[in-house]
Amino acid sequence: MAQDNILDLAARRSGVDLSPCAACPVRGLSICGVLDDEQIRRLSDITSEVTLAPGQALFYEQDAAEHLYVIKTGCARVYKLLADGRRMVTGFLFTSDLVGLAEAGIYAYSCEAVTGLALCRFPRAKLQTMFEQYPHMERRMLEIATNELAAAQDQMVLLGRKTAQEKLASFLYLLMLRIERHSGKGGSITVPMSRGDIADHLGLTTESVSRCFTQFRKIGLIKLDTAHSVTVLDRAKLTEMTGSEDDGFEPHSAAL
Amino acid sequence: MAQDNILDLAARRSGVDLSPCAACPVRGLSICGVLDDEQIRRLSDITSEVTLAPGQALFYEQDAAEHLYVIKTGCARVYKLLADGRRMVTGFLFTSDLVGLAEAGIYAYSCEAVTGLALCRFPRAKLQTMFEQYPHMERRMLEIATNELAAAQDQMVLLGRKTAQEKLASFLYLLMLRIERHSGKGGSITVPMSRGDIADHLGLTTESVSRCFTQFRKIGLIKLDTAHSVTVLDRAKLTEMTGSEDDGFEPHSAAL
DNA sequence: CGGGAAGTTGAAGAGCGTCAAAAGTAGTGG
DNA sequence: CCACTACTTTTGACGCTCTTCAACTTCCCG
């Protein structure tokens, strides 16, 4: 986050034309990726930045969906609640992920910061106007939605048909891929969310998740530097333990 | 299906201009809903009709995604397999539902006919060309994808956090709403898919699904005319048993 | 009718949840 | 800087829901 502020500062100092977006680390990903300089400038006119402290909510289920967000840095959780308080975390979001797709102008889920969070906020109405001028933005949105749909289907397979071990293995595997894609390949992966968050994402309890972590450590699959820093020691075995395709097929990227 | 053929026949007889789509029962729903007469005519030029017998596959996971389909009549199941054969039915599709959204030109799931099936088939490439001319078609696609995403999230809540009873209650509830929306309100609901299909959709076993049906019958919640024809006797109780919002909130419609 | 698939029912077992307590970690103020 | 508190994580014992395995019944289609 500190780095982003420096970049923003640099952008503003270098002249009026260089919009905050131009120096954005997310530029090239998400919806911004399909825009040229002129279009980015127009986008940045309707953009504002939002930051959240860990635990703070971006919005709640049933809120009017007035904005679309792109995550610049940090990790967020998206979840839904049942009447009696049971929680399902439908996904974790990271840098360049889109938040706020909604039908009928109402968010169907809540979103909270896991770590400190920096986001770009776009008013839906103004974005809609831009879409009319730049249809390829809407096409990009459809691509993103299609990706998320594929990821959602993978998650359904996980929830409905995998064992606790396979669930955690799949989760760690995706987290690892994600880290490697953004930062370069390398050692330990950071697990920003709590055991409870992970449990509510995998359809398990905190205790079961913790037990699986311990088991993975005991069989030499991972090393637990701290509860939130994991090193994968046997990558092949982890892949195998996900229970997914025998071959090394590509999993879907979006929304973890 | 017999009825559709009659409609098509009527359309063809009445003149060259009246395309098959114009008389389609699905017209007004799905992607076709946002098109005017001229646009429908252009769409029908690239449309072909496909019919499948029960159990036949429309396509398999990993196939090249060359077509997009809209279901005219019947019921289809969409599923994914794990390496060892475990199956997850991610959704059931009915009249007016869209099949074939895919990223990277590859289907991420398989689709099979549950009942006899009639579909409209659109070649992706040609549809893409139409999108460039009619951006509102793409907008409609985004709407549909957003809907399906919301439905997928509801399904994740079901799979990860609901009991067997709540799962079946939710399933029957959605099936009931769906029937009431398409045909008028009324008595018994048809459950075209097998217990095994339902089980693989709810993350349960055939036996568990069967036991829940029996239990629902014994407590006077439903009447089982046959295994595939259910009458809901206590609608309020069914709603309550879904475990979802206390209030009578709208569930998401797409992809069951 | 008859044979095979689909559905139902029962008994036993496993995996994960629940409850409880201990150990580790982090944040706060003296 | 350390102690105190509160929370998160881990570990253990036990129980329950759903699965597994098996037998029986019903339905459907030739």
Side-chain angles (χ1 to χ4, degrees):
Chain A
M1 277 185 302
Q3 202 189 3
D4 295 334
N5 292 334
I6 290 165
L7 286 173
D8 282 350
L9 226 62
R12 283 190 208 104
R13 273 178 191 155
S14 70
V16 282
D17 264 353
L18 202 49
S19 64
C21 292
C24 178
V26 177
R27 171 91 200 263
L29 306 161
S30 197
I31 30 172
C32 332
V34 293
L35 301 178
D36 63 30
D37 285 347
E38 160 61 16
Q39 292 161 359
I40 280 281
R41 218 168 290 129
R42 286 211 42 206
L43 183 64
S44 73
D45 285 344
I46 63 168
T47 303
S48 48
E49 188 171 331
V50 180
T51 60
L52 269 75
Q56 277 194 302
L58 185 59
F59 54 77
Y60 290 108
E61 195 174 341
Q62 308 279 349
D63 281 358
E66 279 161 6
H67 301 280
L68 206 68
Y69 303 85
V70 172
I71 297 187
K72 292 176 75 169
T73 59
C75 172
R77 62 176 166 257
V78 167
Y79 67 90
K80 288 172 75 87
L81 295 175
L82 289 180
D84 61 2
R86 279 172 287 174
R87 186 181 68 155
M88 180 74 210
V89 172
T90 56
F92 294 107
L93 304 175
F94 300 90
T95 298
S96 89
D97 281 336
L98 195 72
V99 203
L101 270 181
E103 40 167 352
I106 303 283
Y107 294 122
Y109 45 84
S110 307
C111 180
E112 290 173 353
V114 172
T115 65
L117 211 55
L119 310 100
C120 287
R121 187 178 71 185
F122 312 102
R124 277 183 166 281
K126 289 181 182 167
L127 211 52
Q128 198 67 41
T129 313
M130 268 196 82
F131 284 168
E132 268 146 42
Q133 232 176 359
Y134 308 122
H136 60 299
M137 279 185 79
E138 202 146 36
R139 176 155 317 148
R140 180 73 188 120
M141 291 279 289
L142 181 57
E143 270 177 42
I144 293 172
T146 304
N147 257 298
E148 286 197 21
L149 207 48
Q153 284 163 355
D154 285 345
Q155 185 67 7
M156 288 189 222
V157 175
L158 179 148
L159 291 167
R161 284 290 174 252
K162 291 189 180 181
T163 65
Q165 292 176 37
E166 289 170 337
K167 285 176 177 181
L168 186 61
S170 302
F171 176 74
L172 288 177
Y173 181 68
L174 286 181
L175 202 56
M176 185 180 70
L177 285 195
R178 178 124 210 161
I179 301 253
E180 287 179 357
R181 203 175 305 130
H182 283 270
S183 37
K185 297 215 172 204
S188 68
I189 61 183
T190 302
V191 183
M193 63 293 288
S194 72
R195 297 292 186 260
D197 284 344
I198 298 173
D200 282 348
H201 181 52
L202 302 181
L204 298 169
T205 58
T206 304
E207 294 94 328
S208 288
V209 170
S210 180
R211 271 185 256 269
C212 276
F213 266 113
T214 304
Q215 191 197 2
F216 283 6
R217 180 174 52 72
K218 283 184 180 165
I219 63 174
L221 185 66
I222 59 170
K223 186 159 97 56
L224 281 169
D225 310 305
T226 76
H228 295 279
S229 174
V230 178
T231 309
V232 176
L233 300 175
D234 191 339
R235 205 193 158 96
K237 196 171 197 171
L238 183 68
T239 311
E240 181 192 313
M241 284 184 71
T242 62
S244 302
E245 297 96 331
D246 359 41
D247 216 39
F249 283 136
E250 275 296 297
H252 307 289
S253 55
L256 225 180
Chain B
M1 276 187 301
Q3 203 189 3
D4 296 333
N5 291 333
I6 290 165
L7 286 173
D8 282 348
L9 224 62
R12 285 193 205 102
R13 273 181 191 152
S14 71
V16 283
D17 262 353
L18 202 48
S19 64
C21 292
C24 177
V26 177
R27 171 93 201 261
L29 306 161
S30 196
I31 30 172
C32 331
V34 294
L35 302 178
D36 63 29
D37 285 346
E38 159 62 16
Q39 292 162 358
I40 279 280
R41 218 169 288 131
R42 286 212 41 206
L43 182 64
S44 73
D45 285 345
I46 63 169
T47 303
S48 46
E49 189 171 331
V50 180
T51 60
L52 268 74
Q56 276 195 302
L58 185 59
F59 54 76
Y60 290 108
E61 195 173 341
Q62 308 281 349
D63 281 357
E66 281 161 6
H67 301 280
L68 206 67
Y69 302 85
V70 172
I71 296 187
K72 291 177 77 169
T73 58
C75 172
R77 62 177 165 257
V78 167
Y79 66 90
K80 288 173 73 90
L81 296 175
L82 290 179
D84 61 2
R86 279 172 287 175
R87 186 182 69 155
M88 180 73 211
V89 173
T90 55
F92 293 107
L93 303 175
F94 300 89
T95 298
S96 89
D97 281 337
L98 195 72
V99 203
L101 271 180
E103 40 167 352
I106 302 281
Y107 293 123
Y109 46 84
S110 307
C111 180
E112 290 172 354
V114 171
T115 65
L117 210 55
L119 311 99
C120 287
R121 187 177 73 184
F122 312 103
R124 278 185 165 279
K126 289 180 181 168
L127 211 53
Q128 199 66 41
T129 312
M130 268 196 84
F131 284 169
E132 267 145 42
Q133 229 175 3
Y134 308 122
H136 60 300
M137 279 186 78
E138 203 146 36
R139 177 156 316 144
R140 180 72 188 121
M141 291 279 290
L142 181 57
E143 271 177 42
I144 293 173
T146 305
N147 257 298
E148 287 197 19
L149 207 49
Q153 285 164 352
D154 285 345
Q155 185 67 8
M156 287 189 222
V157 175
L158 179 148
L159 291 167
R161 284 289 173 253
K162 290 189 180 180
T163 64
Q165 293 175 35
E166 288 170 337
K167 285 176 177 181
L168 187 61
S170 303
F171 175 73
L172 288 176
Y173 181 69
L174 285 181
L175 202 56
M176 185 179 69
L177 285 194
R178 177 123 209 161
I179 301 254
E180 288 179 357
R181 204 175 305 130
H182 282 270
S183 36
K185 296 214 173 205
S188 69
I189 61 183
T190 301
V191 183
M193 64 293 286
S194 72
R195 297 292 187 262
D197 285 344
I198 298 173
D200 282 348
H201 182 51
L202 303 181
L204 299 169
T205 58
T206 304
E207 295 92 329
S208 288
V209 170
S210 180
R211 271 186 257 269
C212 277
F213 266 113
T214 304
Q215 192 197 1
F216 283 7
R217 181 173 52 73
K218 284 185 179 165
I219 62 174
L221 185 65
I222 59 170
K223 186 158 98 54
L224 281 169
D225 309 304
T226 75
H228 295 280
S229 174
V230 178
T231 309
V232 175
L233 300 176
D234 191 340
R235 207 192 157 97
K237 196 170 195 173
L238 183 68
T239 312
E240 180 192 314
M241 285 184 71
T242 63
S244 300
E245 297 96 330
D246 358 44
D247 215 41
F249 283 136
E250 273 296 297
H252 308 288
S253 56
L256 224 177

PDB file of all heavy atoms in Angstrom, chain B residues 163-164 203-205 207-208 211, chain D residues 17-22 27-28:
ATOM      1  N   THR B 163     -27.970 -28.671   5.778  1.00  0.00           N
ATOM      2  CA  THR B 163     -28.144 -30.088   6.093  1.00  0.00           C
ATOM      3  C   THR B 163     -28.825 -30.776   4.908  1.00  0.00           C
ATOM      4  O   THR B 163     -29.347 -30.116   4.011  1.00  0.00           O
ATOM      5  CB  THR B 163     -29.044 -30.263   7.324  1.00  0.00           C
ATOM      6  OG1 THR B 163     -30.349 -29.769   7.007  1.00  0.00           O
ATOM      7  CG2 THR B 163     -28.501 -29.507   8.519  1.00  0.00           C
ATOM      8  N   ALA B 164     -28.853 -32.111   4.944  1.00  0.00           N
ATOM      9  CA  ALA B 164     -29.477 -32.881   3.865  1.00  0.00           C
ATOM     10  C   ALA B 164     -30.929 -32.439   3.652  1.00  0.00           C
ATOM     11  O   ALA B 164     -31.360 -32.222   2.511  1.00  0.00           O
ATOM     12  CB  ALA B 164     -29.412 -34.361   4.180  1.00  0.00           C
ATOM     13  N   GLY B 203     -24.762 -32.750  -3.351  1.00  0.00           N
ATOM     14  CA  GLY B 203     -23.639 -33.228  -2.552  1.00  0.00           C
ATOM     15  C   GLY B 203     -24.051 -34.308  -1.564  1.00  0.00           C
ATOM     16  O   GLY B 203     -23.572 -34.343  -0.434  1.00  0.00           O
ATOM     17  N   LEU B 204     -24.962 -35.187  -1.988  1.00  0.00           N
ATOM     18  CA  LEU B 204     -25.437 -36.265  -1.131  1.00  0.00           C
ATOM     19  C   LEU B 204     -25.331 -37.590  -1.885  1.00  0.00           C
ATOM     20  O   LEU B 204     -24.777 -37.642  -2.974  1.00  0.00           O
ATOM     21  CB  LEU B 204     -26.900 -36.019  -0.743  1.00  0.00           C
ATOM     22  CG  LEU B 204     -27.211 -34.742   0.053  1.00  0.00           C
ATOM     23  CD1 LEU B 204     -28.716 -34.503   0.114  1.00  0.00           C
ATOM     24  CD2 LEU B 204     -26.631 -34.845   1.462  1.00  0.00           C
ATOM     25  N   THR B 205     -25.870 -38.667  -1.295  1.00  0.00           N
ATOM     26  CA  THR B 205     -25.956 -39.944  -2.002  1.00  0.00           C
ATOM     27  C   THR B 205     -27.408 -40.185  -2.404  1.00  0.00           C
ATOM     28  O   THR B 205     -28.325 -39.565  -1.840  1.00  0.00           O
ATOM     29  CB  THR B 205     -25.522 -41.115  -1.103  1.00  0.00           C
ATOM     30  OG1 THR B 205     -26.349 -41.127   0.050  1.00  0.00           O
ATOM     31  CG2 THR B 205     -24.067 -40.977  -0.704  1.00  0.00           C
ATOM     32  N   GLU B 207     -29.210 -42.664  -1.683  1.00  0.00           N
ATOM     33  CA  GLU B 207     -29.951 -43.149  -0.518  1.00  0.00           C
ATOM     34  C   GLU B 207     -30.402 -42.012   0.385  1.00  0.00           C
ATOM     35  O   GLU B 207     -31.543 -42.007   0.858  1.00  0.00           O
ATOM     36  CB  GLU B 207     -29.088 -44.132   0.294  1.00  0.00           C
ATOM     37  CG  GLU B 207     -28.742 -45.420  -0.432  1.00  0.00           C
ATOM     38  CD  GLU B 207     -27.428 -45.321  -1.178  1.00  0.00           C
ATOM     39  OE1 GLU B 207     -27.101 -44.205  -1.617  1.00  0.00           O
ATOM     40  OE2 GLU B 207     -26.729 -46.339  -1.323  1.00  0.00           O
ATOM     41  N   SER B 208     -29.523 -41.052   0.607  1.00  0.00           N
ATOM     42  CA  SER B 208     -29.875 -39.922   1.468  1.00  0.00           C
ATOM     43  C   SER B 208     -31.023 -39.116   0.874  1.00  0.00           C
ATOM     44  O   SER B 208     -31.931 -38.692   1.599  1.00  0.00           O
ATOM     45  CB  SER B 208     -28.663 -39.016   1.679  1.00  0.00           C
ATOM     46  OG  SER B 208     -27.724 -39.643   2.510  1.00  0.00           O
ATOM     47  N   ARG B 211     -34.205 -41.070   1.333  1.00  0.00           N
ATOM     48  CA  ARG B 211     -34.635 -41.009   2.733  1.00  0.00           C
ATOM     49  C   ARG B 211     -35.274 -39.667   3.060  1.00  0.00           C
ATOM     50  O   ARG B 211     -36.284 -39.612   3.777  1.00  0.00           O
ATOM     51  CB  ARG B 211     -33.439 -41.248   3.653  1.00  0.00           C
ATOM     52  CG  ARG B 211     -33.208 -42.709   3.972  1.00  0.00           C
ATOM     53  CD  ARG B 211     -32.101 -42.872   4.998  1.00  0.00           C
ATOM     54  NE  ARG B 211     -30.858 -43.302   4.355  1.00  0.00           N
ATOM     55  CZ  ARG B 211     -30.538 -44.577   4.198  1.00  0.00           C
ATOM     56  NH1 ARG B 211     -31.339 -45.533   4.599  1.00  0.00           N
ATOM     57  NH2 ARG B 211     -29.396 -44.919   3.608  1.00  0.00           N
TER      58      ARG B 211
ATOM     59  P    DT D  17     -28.064 -35.786  14.227  1.00  0.00           P
ATOM     60  OP1  DT D  17     -28.857 -34.688  14.807  1.00  0.00           O
ATOM     61  OP2  DT D  17     -28.540 -37.185  14.314  1.00  0.00           O
ATOM     62  O5'  DT D  17     -27.786 -35.444  12.696  1.00  0.00           O
ATOM     63  C5'  DT D  17     -26.756 -34.525  12.367  1.00  0.00           C
ATOM     64  C4'  DT D  17     -25.997 -34.979  11.135  1.00  0.00           C
ATOM     65  O4'  DT D  17     -25.122 -36.062  11.456  1.00  0.00           O
ATOM     66  C3'  DT D  17     -26.879 -35.451   9.984  1.00  0.00           C
ATOM     67  O3'  DT D  17     -26.496 -34.708   8.845  1.00  0.00           O
ATOM     68  C2'  DT D  17     -26.567 -36.931   9.864  1.00  0.00           C
ATOM     69  C1'  DT D  17     -25.165 -37.015  10.411  1.00  0.00           C
ATOM     70  N1   DT D  17     -24.752 -38.320  11.014  1.00  0.00           N
ATOM     71  C2   DT D  17     -23.533 -38.874  10.676  1.00  0.00           C
ATOM     72  O2   DT D  17     -22.775 -38.371   9.869  1.00  0.00           O
ATOM     73  N3   DT D  17     -23.247 -40.045  11.328  1.00  0.00           N
ATOM     74  C4   DT D  17     -24.026 -40.715  12.260  1.00  0.00           C
ATOM     75  O4   DT D  17     -23.637 -41.752  12.772  1.00  0.00           O
ATOM     76  C5   DT D  17     -25.287 -40.071  12.565  1.00  0.00           C
ATOM     77  C7   DT D  17     -26.206 -40.720  13.549  1.00  0.00           C
ATOM     78  C6   DT D  17     -25.595 -38.926  11.943  1.00  0.00           C
ATOM     79  P    DC D  18     -27.384 -34.713   7.508  1.00  0.00           P
ATOM     80  OP1  DC D  18     -27.292 -33.375   6.918  1.00  0.00           O
ATOM     81  OP2  DC D  18     -28.684 -35.329   7.805  1.00  0.00           O
ATOM     82  O5'  DC D  18     -26.561 -35.725   6.591  1.00  0.00           O
ATOM     83  C5'  DC D  18     -25.213 -35.396   6.250  1.00  0.00           C
ATOM     84  C4'  DC D  18     -24.494 -36.646   5.836  1.00  0.00           C
ATOM     85  O4'  DC D  18     -24.497 -37.592   6.914  1.00  0.00           O
ATOM     86  C3'  DC D  18     -25.081 -37.360   4.624  1.00  0.00           C
ATOM     87  O3'  DC D  18     -24.072 -37.448   3.635  1.00  0.00           O
ATOM     88  C2'  DC D  18     -25.513 -38.709   5.167  1.00  0.00           C
ATOM     89  C1'  DC D  18     -24.582 -38.889   6.361  1.00  0.00           C
ATOM     90  N1   DC D  18     -25.043 -39.830   7.418  1.00  0.00           N
ATOM     91  C2   DC D  18     -24.172 -40.809   7.894  1.00  0.00           C
ATOM     92  O2   DC D  18     -23.030 -40.892   7.434  1.00  0.00           O
ATOM     93  N3   DC D  18     -24.605 -41.653   8.860  1.00  0.00           N
ATOM     94  C4   DC D  18     -25.833 -41.550   9.346  1.00  0.00           C
ATOM     95  N4   DC D  18     -26.198 -42.407  10.307  1.00  0.00           N
ATOM     96  C5   DC D  18     -26.744 -40.560   8.882  1.00  0.00           C
ATOM     97  C6   DC D  18     -26.319 -39.716   7.929  1.00  0.00           C
ATOM     98  P    DT D  19     -24.307 -38.268   2.259  1.00  0.00           P
ATOM     99  OP1  DT D  19     -23.697 -37.447   1.206  1.00  0.00           O
ATOM    100  OP2  DT D  19     -25.718 -38.714   2.162  1.00  0.00           O
ATOM    101  O5'  DT D  19     -23.385 -39.556   2.473  1.00  0.00           O
ATOM    102  C5'  DT D  19     -22.029 -39.368   2.861  1.00  0.00           C
ATOM    103  C4'  DT D  19     -21.359 -40.715   3.044  1.00  0.00           C
ATOM    104  O4'  DT D  19     -21.940 -41.410   4.173  1.00  0.00           O
ATOM    105  C3'  DT D  19     -21.477 -41.651   1.851  1.00  0.00           C
ATOM    106  O3'  DT D  19     -20.191 -42.217   1.608  1.00  0.00           O
ATOM    107  C2'  DT D  19     -22.506 -42.690   2.294  1.00  0.00           C
ATOM    108  C1'  DT D  19     -22.298 -42.725   3.803  1.00  0.00           C
ATOM    109  N1   DT D  19     -23.495 -43.094   4.616  1.00  0.00           N
ATOM    110  C2   DT D  19     -23.411 -44.171   5.482  1.00  0.00           C
ATOM    111  O2   DT D  19     -22.415 -44.862   5.599  1.00  0.00           O
ATOM    112  N3   DT D  19     -24.558 -44.413   6.205  1.00  0.00           N
ATOM    113  C4   DT D  19     -25.746 -43.707   6.165  1.00  0.00           C
ATOM    114  O4   DT D  19     -26.692 -44.019   6.876  1.00  0.00           O
ATOM    115  C5   DT D  19     -25.755 -42.590   5.236  1.00  0.00           C
ATOM    116  C7   DT D  19     -26.998 -41.765   5.116  1.00  0.00           C
ATOM    117  C6   DT D  19     -24.651 -42.344   4.522  1.00  0.00           C
ATOM    118  P    DT D  20     -19.924 -43.084   0.311  1.00  0.00           P
ATOM    119  OP1  DT D  20     -18.572 -42.734  -0.124  1.00  0.00           O
ATOM    120  OP2  DT D  20     -21.082 -42.938  -0.587  1.00  0.00           O
ATOM    121  O5'  DT D  20     -19.923 -44.595   0.847  1.00  0.00           O
ATOM    122  C5'  DT D  20     -19.266 -44.910   2.066  1.00  0.00           C
ATOM    123  C4'  DT D  20     -19.590 -46.338   2.460  1.00  0.00           C
ATOM    124  O4'  DT D  20     -20.829 -46.365   3.215  1.00  0.00           O
ATOM    125  C3'  DT D  20     -19.783 -47.313   1.290  1.00  0.00           C
ATOM    126  O3'  DT D  20     -18.975 -48.461   1.535  1.00  0.00           O
ATOM    127  C2'  DT D  20     -21.270 -47.644   1.309  1.00  0.00           C
ATOM    128  C1'  DT D  20     -21.621 -47.442   2.776  1.00  0.00           C
ATOM    129  N1   DT D  20     -23.031 -47.058   3.052  1.00  0.00           N
ATOM    130  C2   DT D  20     -23.713 -47.695   4.073  1.00  0.00           C
ATOM    131  O2   DT D  20     -23.224 -48.569   4.751  1.00  0.00           O
ATOM    132  N3   DT D  20     -24.986 -47.244   4.275  1.00  0.00           N
ATOM    133  C4   DT D  20     -25.648 -46.253   3.582  1.00  0.00           C
ATOM    134  O4   DT D  20     -26.795 -45.939   3.863  1.00  0.00           O
ATOM    135  C5   DT D  20     -24.885 -45.625   2.517  1.00  0.00           C
ATOM    136  C7   DT D  20     -25.510 -44.544   1.697  1.00  0.00           C
ATOM    137  C6   DT D  20     -23.631 -46.055   2.310  1.00  0.00           C
ATOM    138  P    DC D  21     -18.660 -49.540   0.402  1.00  0.00           P
ATOM    139  OP1  DC D  21     -17.272 -49.986   0.591  1.00  0.00           O
ATOM    140  OP2  DC D  21     -19.109 -48.991  -0.885  1.00  0.00           O
ATOM    141  O5'  DC D  21     -19.634 -50.748   0.790  1.00  0.00           O
ATOM    142  C5'  DC D  21     -19.643 -51.230   2.128  1.00  0.00           C
ATOM    143  C4'  DC D  21     -20.828 -52.131   2.337  1.00  0.00           C
ATOM    144  O4'  DC D  21     -22.006 -51.338   2.593  1.00  0.00           O
ATOM    145  C3'  DC D  21     -21.176 -53.044   1.158  1.00  0.00           C
ATOM    146  O3'  DC D  21     -21.327 -54.364   1.631  1.00  0.00           O
ATOM    147  C2'  DC D  21     -22.470 -52.462   0.619  1.00  0.00           C
ATOM    148  C1'  DC D  21     -23.089 -51.906   1.906  1.00  0.00           C
ATOM    149  N1   DC D  21     -24.127 -50.868   1.708  1.00  0.00           N
ATOM    150  C2   DC D  21     -25.219 -50.819   2.585  1.00  0.00           C
ATOM    151  O2   DC D  21     -25.287 -51.656   3.489  1.00  0.00           O
ATOM    152  N3   DC D  21     -26.157 -49.871   2.409  1.00  0.00           N
ATOM    153  C4   DC D  21     -26.042 -48.987   1.410  1.00  0.00           C
ATOM    154  N4   DC D  21     -27.001 -48.070   1.292  1.00  0.00           N
ATOM    155  C5   DC D  21     -24.936 -49.009   0.517  1.00  0.00           C
ATOM    156  C6   DC D  21     -24.005 -49.965   0.696  1.00  0.00           C
ATOM    157  P    DA D  22     -21.559 -55.614   0.645  1.00  0.00           P
ATOM    158  OP1  DA D  22     -20.727 -56.717   1.168  1.00  0.00           O
ATOM    159  OP2  DA D  22     -21.400 -55.148  -0.756  1.00  0.00           O
ATOM    160  O5'  DA D  22     -23.092 -55.961   0.887  1.00  0.00           O
ATOM    161  C5'  DA D  22     -23.589 -56.028   2.212  1.00  0.00           C
ATOM    162  C4'  DA D  22     -25.092 -56.130   2.186  1.00  0.00           C
ATOM    163  O4'  DA D  22     -25.666 -54.799   2.046  1.00  0.00           O
ATOM    164  C3'  DA D  22     -25.652 -56.965   1.026  1.00  0.00           C
ATOM    165  O3'  DA D  22     -26.552 -57.942   1.530  1.00  0.00           O
ATOM    166  C2'  DA D  22     -26.381 -55.939   0.165  1.00  0.00           C
ATOM    167  C1'  DA D  22     -26.788 -54.908   1.203  1.00  0.00           C
ATOM    168  N9   DA D  22     -27.062 -53.593   0.637  1.00  0.00           N
ATOM    169  C8   DA D  22     -26.324 -52.903  -0.285  1.00  0.00           C
ATOM    170  N7   DA D  22     -26.837 -51.740  -0.618  1.00  0.00           N
ATOM    171  C5   DA D  22     -27.991 -51.664   0.136  1.00  0.00           C
ATOM    172  C6   DA D  22     -28.984 -50.685   0.244  1.00  0.00           C
ATOM    173  N6   DA D  22     -28.964 -49.540  -0.454  1.00  0.00           N
ATOM    174  N1   DA D  22     -30.012 -50.922   1.101  1.00  0.00           N
ATOM    175  C2   DA D  22     -30.025 -52.070   1.786  1.00  0.00           C
ATOM    176  N3   DA D  22     -29.143 -53.059   1.769  1.00  0.00           N
ATOM    177  C4   DA D  22     -28.146 -52.793   0.911  1.00  0.00           C
ATOM    178  P    DC D  27     -44.736 -48.491  -8.320  1.00  0.00           P
ATOM    179  OP1  DC D  27     -45.401 -47.239  -7.913  1.00  0.00           O
ATOM    180  OP2  DC D  27     -45.522 -49.715  -8.583  1.00  0.00           O
ATOM    181  O5'  DC D  27     -43.853 -48.169  -9.604  1.00  0.00           O
ATOM    182  C5'  DC D  27     -42.755 -47.265  -9.484  1.00  0.00           C
ATOM    183  C4'  DC D  27     -41.892 -47.357 -10.733  1.00  0.00           C
ATOM    184  O4'  DC D  27     -41.218 -48.631 -10.749  1.00  0.00           O
ATOM    185  C3'  DC D  27     -42.689 -47.258 -12.035  1.00  0.00           C
ATOM    186  O3'  DC D  27     -42.109 -46.242 -12.839  1.00  0.00           O
ATOM    187  C2'  DC D  27     -42.547 -48.646 -12.645  1.00  0.00           C
ATOM    188  C1'  DC D  27     -41.228 -49.133 -12.066  1.00  0.00           C
ATOM    189  N1   DC D  27     -41.070 -50.609 -11.961  1.00  0.00           N
ATOM    190  C2   DC D  27     -39.936 -51.220 -12.517  1.00  0.00           C
ATOM    191  O2   DC D  27     -39.093 -50.527 -13.096  1.00  0.00           O
ATOM    192  N3   DC D  27     -39.797 -52.570 -12.411  1.00  0.00           N
ATOM    193  C4   DC D  27     -40.727 -53.289 -11.775  1.00  0.00           C
ATOM    194  N4   DC D  27     -40.534 -54.616 -11.694  1.00  0.00           N
ATOM    195  C5   DC D  27     -41.880 -52.691 -11.204  1.00  0.00           C
ATOM    196  C6   DC D  27     -42.012 -51.364 -11.316  1.00  0.00           C
ATOM    197  P    DC D  28     -42.951 -45.624 -14.031  1.00  0.00           P
ATOM    198  OP1  DC D  28     -42.762 -44.159 -13.973  1.00  0.00           O
ATOM    199  OP2  DC D  28     -44.301 -46.217 -14.043  1.00  0.00           O
ATOM    200  O5'  DC D  28     -42.156 -46.170 -15.299  1.00  0.00           O
ATOM    201  C5'  DC D  28     -40.732 -46.071 -15.316  1.00  0.00           C
ATOM    202  C4'  DC D  28     -40.149 -47.040 -16.313  1.00  0.00           C
ATOM    203  O4'  DC D  28     -40.218 -48.391 -15.797  1.00  0.00           O
ATOM    204  C3'  DC D  28     -40.868 -47.062 -17.666  1.00  0.00           C
ATOM    205  O3'  DC D  28     -39.885 -46.896 -18.660  1.00  0.00           O
ATOM    206  C2'  DC D  28     -41.506 -48.453 -17.726  1.00  0.00           C
ATOM    207  C1'  DC D  28     -40.528 -49.257 -16.860  1.00  0.00           C
ATOM    208  N1   DC D  28     -41.037 -50.523 -16.281  1.00  0.00           N
ATOM    209  C2   DC D  28     -40.280 -51.696 -16.409  1.00  0.00           C
ATOM    210  O2   DC D  28     -39.201 -51.644 -17.012  1.00  0.00           O
ATOM    211  N3   DC D  28     -40.749 -52.852 -15.854  1.00  0.00           N
ATOM    212  C4   DC D  28     -41.916 -52.861 -15.203  1.00  0.00           C
ATOM    213  N4   DC D  28     -42.323 -54.018 -14.678  1.00  0.00           N
ATOM    214  C5   DC D  28     -42.707 -51.678 -15.071  1.00  0.00           C
ATOM    215  C6   DC D  28     -42.239 -50.541 -15.619  1.00  0.00           C
TER     216       DC D  28
END
